[in-house]
């Protein structure tokens, strides 16, 4: 069997190309090929991990024509409106981008809102417009180039590793033209309601029963039997001893104190505007704890956040705050985008040991809660507005659809005000199991277990489907 993996950007590199996923496929006799649009440096990193990849080819350069772009954005807006009504959750509309800079972009998105509103009046009209979008893409010259590439690859099956890239649409159409079965993973726990599932596939690989239900509910045209619950490989690294270092070695490398408890602050990307304010609040609060009891802070920024917004806090509290930056590299001028950035293989060890050797993590609604749950460690979610009269409201964050899975559970601790920071940290360090009693129950709802078998499940599903 020949399997072609579609890698439209650097997002999927860690979870699928650094994990055991390719090894599992090759062990089942699958010849794995890459059709990619990532940097040469990223490819070299991947080849070191998987030297037996048989063929690697670049995806042809593609830019949607204006009509296709307008249709895609209009359909995204229409589905956001539809999803928000279907799920009775108005926060879903927060995923619509209103931060365009150029006049041309502003006009495009305002027109998309008008058309999307009309499309949303009738679900059959949404489906009709999606077919029109496919028709527009099918007339693009890129289809001929992709058809030639597929003739050379001659794959038995195709798997797309990130479902939201516009690049996926012509790939799916080219595959269907040759009757090649094509699957996709739904990349992250919050992706389904965001209305960025651009194309339709033969098979959808999802994290959990929750994600399957959402996909069926929001895309009723998708056959339920084509949605397979497999989990995600992103948590497998924690079970692989080759990434683990002793606490002494890891702390010595980054100057941390072996005798102190360690609080990890994990940052979000620039779409979360007050991360530095939260970080300063935490450091200021911890600085007031008596020195012999004071925990140290390990700061891990979001991989795409290359800003200097944390610098002043890091300098001010450098006695007990240590930055362990993710090793994600950018080979493009477009800094700050997941499309052009990729992780170095060694970043896996940085993340694994950060989680393994810290005692508690604090963040604003991050999936790092699950990373820490693997080692049965607590997470504290920030739940207050650090800036008076701020545009961003924290209350909205925890109304997002993916947090509905928490209902009825006590899986995280909550920091509801700046004044609660010290007490919340102390309680999490002294009584971690009491603070977050249901973290494992929530984890099991959101991600299919056992965690270390995800690659095997995905490989088995792909080989059995043929």
């Amino acid at each position: 069997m020949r399997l072609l993996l579609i890698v439209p950007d650097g997002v999927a590199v860690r979870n699928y190309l650094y994990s055991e996923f390719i090894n599992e496929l090759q062990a089942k006799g699958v010849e794995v090929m890459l059709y990619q649009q990532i940097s040469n440096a990223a490819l070299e990193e991947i080849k070191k991990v998987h030297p037996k990849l048989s063929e690697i080819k670049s995806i042809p350069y593609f830019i949607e024509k204006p009509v296709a772009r307008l249709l895609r954005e209009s359909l995204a807006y229409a589905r956001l409106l539809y999803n928000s009504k279907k799920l009775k959750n108005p926060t879903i509309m927060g995923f619509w981008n209103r931060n365009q800079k150029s006049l041309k972009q502003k006009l495009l998105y305002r027109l998309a809102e008008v058309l999307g509103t009309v499309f949303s009046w009738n679900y059959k009209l949404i489906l009709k417009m999606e077919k029109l979008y496919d028709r527009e893409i099918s007339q693009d010259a890129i289809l001929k180039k992709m058809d030639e590439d597929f003739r050379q690859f001659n794959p038995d099956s195709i798997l797309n590793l990130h479902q939201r890239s516009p690049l996926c649409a012509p790939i799916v159409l080219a595959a269907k033209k040759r009757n090649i079965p094509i699957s996709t993973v739904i990349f992250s726990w919050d992706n389904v309601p965001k209305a960025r599932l651009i194309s339709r596939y033969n098979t959808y690989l999802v994290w959990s029963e929750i994600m399957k239900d959402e996909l069926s509910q929001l895309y009723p045209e998708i056959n339920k039997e084509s949605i397979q619950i497999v989990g995600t490989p992103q948590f497998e690294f924690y079970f692989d001893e080759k990434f683990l270092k002793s606490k002494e070695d890891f702390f010595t490398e980054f100057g941390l104190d072996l005798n102190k408890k360690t609080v990890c602050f994990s940052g979000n990307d620039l779409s979360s505007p007050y991360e530095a304010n939260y970080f300063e609040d935490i450091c200021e609060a911890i600085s007031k704890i008596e020195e012999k009891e004071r925990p140290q802070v390990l700061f891990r920024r979001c991989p795409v956040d290359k800003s200097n917004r944390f610098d002043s806090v890091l300098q001010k509290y450098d006695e007990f705050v240590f930055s362990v930056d993710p090793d994600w590299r950018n080979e493009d001028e477009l800094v700050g985008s997941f499309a052009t950035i990729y992780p170095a293989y060694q970043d896996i060890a940085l993340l694994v040991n950060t989680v393994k050797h810290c005692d508690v993590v604090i963040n604003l609604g991050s999936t790092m809660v699950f990373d820490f749950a693997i080692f049965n460690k607590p997470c504290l979610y920030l739940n207050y507005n650090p800036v008076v009269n701020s545009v961003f409201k924290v209350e909205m964050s925890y109304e997002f659809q993916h947090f509905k899975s928490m209902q009825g559970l006590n899986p995280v601790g909550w920091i509801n005000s700046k004044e609660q920071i010290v007490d919340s940290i102390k309680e999490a360090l002294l009584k971690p199991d009491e603070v977050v009693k249901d973290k494992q129950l929530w984890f099991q709802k959101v991600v299919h277990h056992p965690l270390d078998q995800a690659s095997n499940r995905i490989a088995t599903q792909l080989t059995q489907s043929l």
Side-chain angles (χ1 to χ4, degrees), residues 228-244:
Q228 300 296 322
I229 300 169
V230 293
T232 172
Q234 75 187 64
F235 301 109
E236 291 181 341
F237 304 110
Y238 296 102
F239 302 92
D240 192 336
E241 290 189 0
K242 73 172 176 279
F243 296 116
L244 290 172

Side-chain angles (χ1 to χ4, degrees), residues 245-259 296 298 322 324 357:
K245 294 182 179 180
S246 70
K247 186 174 183 178
E248 183 176 5
D249 286 346
F250 184 66
F251 274 28
T252 299
E253 182 178 355
F254 293 99
L256 288 102
D257 189 336
L258 275 167
N259 299 311
Q296 60 196 341
L298 187 156
F322 304 85
V324 180
H357 300 306

Side-chain angles (χ1 to χ4, degrees), residues 320-339:
F320 63 89
V321 179
F322 304 85
S323 184
V324 180
D325 286 348
D327 190 356
W328 285 56
R329 301 169 186 180
N330 201 298
E331 306 295 332
D332 194 279
E333 293 179 0
L334 187 60
V335 175
S337 167
F338 274 113

Side-chain angles (χ1 to χ4, degrees), residues 201-205 212 222-228 461:
Y201 297 80
N202 301 102
T203 307
Y204 303 81
L205 305 177
K212 180 174 182 176
I222 294 176
N223 189 323
K224 283 188 178 181
E225 276 116 39
S226 68
I227 307 172
Q228 300 296 322
Q461 174 61 42

Side-chain angles (χ1 to χ4, degrees), residues 331-350:
E331 306 295 332
D332 194 279
E333 293 179 0
L334 187 60
V335 175
S337 167
F338 274 113
T340 60
I341 199 168
Y342 71 94
Y345 187 63
Q346 68 180 16
D347 185 61
I348 297 170
L350 285 177

